[in-house]
Amino acid sequence: MTRAHNFNAGPAALPLDVLEKAQQEMVNFNNTGMSVMELSHRSKEYEEVHNEAISLLKELLQVPNNYEVLLLQGGASLQFPMIPMNFSPKDKTANYVLTGSWSEKALKEAKKLGETRIGASSSDSNYTYIPDADTIETEADDAYVHITSNNTIFGTQWQDFQLNTNAPLIADMSSDILSRPVPVERFSLIYAGAQKNLGPSGVTVVIVKKELLETAETNIPTLLSYNTHVDKNSLYHTPPTFAIYMLKNVLQWVKENGGASGMEKRNQEKASLLYDVIDNSNGFYKGHAEKDSRSIMNVTFNLATDELNKAFLDEAKKAGFVGLNGHRSVGGCRASIYNAVSVESCKALQEFMIDFQQKHQ
Ligand SMILES: *Cc1c(COP(=O)(O)O)cnc(C)c1O
């Protein structure tokens, strides 16, 4: 059996060990005579899976005790309206820092639900950088400040979170959660769709400070209120049980592989393999992101012409590399190298890039 060199942007690669464990347990989970998918979400067996996923998230992300961890549905995209619905009262303004298409989408939803402002934006350069913290404008009436920690499409990533604000800081970490240690205590709410770094699609992780929950709007639809899910341990209605089971197994794999700092070390090594080729290519490969804003999750680059980009992608595909097409808004190429993508896959891509340059320059 050969596994693909999978550089998909999301849903993305999962650890082989995790897939094989799921395969072994598929028709008889924990001697129940059933698959996890067939268990009642009110059963003791399922509840153990559910609570283990939550406690592993707390452990691996070092979530302080004054936070709740929720497992929701609707993807990161449903968080875009839920956040302003819950946390942007009429007398305040929600502040968005725009660093890519996903921040724009988050802002678009917030605009429909209340007042918004843009604290900073790097759209002038087609999002090649993260704005310096001291250029981000914040106001006393900010309901919160929303950032996107990793810009999946453009390949930029926040390096630290020293924003000058007393307002609650909220981050979309969909494409870099658990790829490195982060100071959770700096944030009032963190959210992430699971399908990039944490598991399959279908479950969204939310980490939210209790203090923020106390300020939440109450007159909103039940399912869109964070407090509904807090009160019921994310079991108010049927959760995506199989996705949560896979999430739990991915988290166990992360723990066995050195936790968040183990992931960071591996991810930096992987990213360096590819950025080194770009930097040593004499301009044959041109990185989209400015160097000090580069992501260790999504490596975005272009070749000199559309023809060369196309030839690169065609040959890469033939050589067994999957998912290297850049997003249509940037063009070119993108290697998404989330936690589960192996160092070996990145080495293989490095060699392929060097060979391709030698053949085509
Ligand atoms: C993929 C992605 C999303 C969208 O996630 P869905 O779960 O598909 O809604 C949002 N934000 C970022 C940063 C992403 O990478």
Side-chain angles (χ1 to χ4, degrees):
M1 178 200 60
T2 52
R3 292 267 297 159
H5 290 301
N6 184 351
F7 294 94
N8 277 333
L14 288 165
L16 180 58
D17 292 354
V18 168
L19 295 171
E20 286 176 339
K21 181 179 163 75
Q23 184 179 43
Q24 278 162 17
E25 294 179 340
M26 183 59 77
V27 300
N28 184 10
F29 173 71
N30 219 356
N31 291 323
T32 55
M34 288 176 269
S35 135
V36 169
M37 285 179 274
E38 301 168 286
L39 296 175
S40 163
H41 65 294
R42 306 290 176 203
S43 65
K44 179 173 88 23
E45 290 85 356
Y46 174 70
E47 217 163 331
E48 271 170 24
V49 170
H50 189 90
N51 289 336
E52 178 73 359
I54 293 171
S55 79
L56 280 165
L57 280 165
K58 287 184 177 162
E59 178 185 338
L60 293 166
L61 288 162
Q62 296 189 25
V63 178
N65 284 336
N66 55 332
Y67 285 73
E68 300 282 355
V69 174
L70 304 175
L71 304 175
L72 307 182
Q73 299 185 63
S77 299
L78 188 60
Q79 296 302 303
F80 297 164
M82 264 178 84
I83 288 162
M85 269 183 157
N86 282 266
F87 304 124
S88 188
K90 286 199 174 54
D91 58 342
K92 291 201 171 178
T93 300
N95 190 337
Y96 283 75
V97 180
L98 299 186
T99 52
S101 318
W102 293 114
S103 337
E104 286 178 5
K105 287 197 172 132
L107 171 67
K108 187 176 164 208
E109 295 304 300
K111 273 185 173 167
K112 295 179 187 173
L113 295 158
E115 294 299 319
T116 59
R117 63 170 55 98
I118 296 171
S121 170
S122 53
S123 69
D124 56 343
S125 74
N126 199 22
Y127 296 122
T128 54
Y129 65 96
I130 302 294
D132 279 339
D134 56 16
T135 66
I136 298 169
E137 289 174 23
T138 56
E139 304 287 344
D141 70 338
D142 283 344
Y144 53 79
V145 178
H146 179 283
I147 67 167
T148 312
S149 59
N150 184 75
N151 298 282
T152 325
I153 293 173
F154 296 92
T156 62
Q157 187 173 27
W158 290 69
Q159 310 300 323
D160 62 47
F161 305 101
Q162 301 305 318
L163 280 87
N164 181 25
T165 178
N166 293 322
L169 185 59
I170 293 183
D172 177 356
M173 292 196 186
S174 292
S175 54
D176 70 348
I177 191 163
L178 213 45
S179 68
R180 55 179 179 175
V182 289
V184 171
E185 66 284 354
R186 181 70 193 84
F187 298 89
S188 292
L189 190 150
I190 291 169
Y191 63 98
Q195 66 272 22
K196 283 143 191 163
N197 252 334
L198 296 179
S201 58
V203 59
T204 306
V205 171
V206 175
I207 300 162
V208 54
K209 200 173 186 173
K210 291 178 185 169
E211 206 181 301
L212 183 67
L213 288 165
E214 285 161 14
T215 68
E217 175 65 44
T218 50
N219 190 23
I220 51 177
T222 309
L223 206 59
L224 301 180
S225 164
Y226 290 102
N227 279 312
T228 300
H229 303 288
V230 169
D231 292 345
K232 298 284 189 230
N233 188 31
S234 303
L235 284 160
Y236 170 76
H237 69 144
T238 318
T241 51
F242 193 73
I244 291 170
Y245 159 77
M246 291 296 287
L247 165 66
K248 174 201 71 108
N249 291 346
V250 170
L251 293 169
Q252 273 165 345
W253 176 85
V254 170
K255 187 172 169 178
E256 284 156 16
N257 286 276
S261 49
M263 291 297 118
E264 181 178 44
K265 196 161 160 277
R266 226 167 87 98
N267 291 329
Q268 271 168 348
E269 181 187 348
K270 282 150 48 186
S272 297
L273 287 170
L274 304 182
Y275 286 125
D276 283 353
V277 179
I278 293 172
D279 292 342
N280 295 323
S281 72
N282 283 318
F284 185 80
Y285 297 108
K286 200 176 166 313
H288 179 77
E290 287 183 14
K291 279 190 188 176
D292 59 2
S293 296
R294 278 175 169 173
S295 167
I296 57 168
M297 294 277 93
N298 308 96
V299 178
T300 49
F301 57 94
N302 268 281
L303 288 82
T305 62
D306 287 348
E307 290 69 41
L308 267 180
N309 273 324
K310 192 176 171 308
F312 179 86
L313 291 169
D314 286 348
E315 282 190 35
K317 196 171 168 187
K318 283 193 200 116
F321 298 96
V322 175
L324 290 172
N325 297 59
H327 189 271
R328 56 194 176 279
S329 58
V330 187
C333 311
R334 167 177 55 174
S336 297
I337 52 171
Y338 303 122
N339 285 350
V341 176
S342 66
V343 176
E344 288 66 39
S345 282
C346 294
K347 279 195 181 135
L349 180 57
Q350 180 191 48
E351 280 165 28
F352 175 82
M353 288 173 76
I354 293 169
D355 282 351
F356 185 88
Q357 177 173 5
Q358 275 165 358
K359 272 196 270 167
H360 290 86
Q361 72 185 353

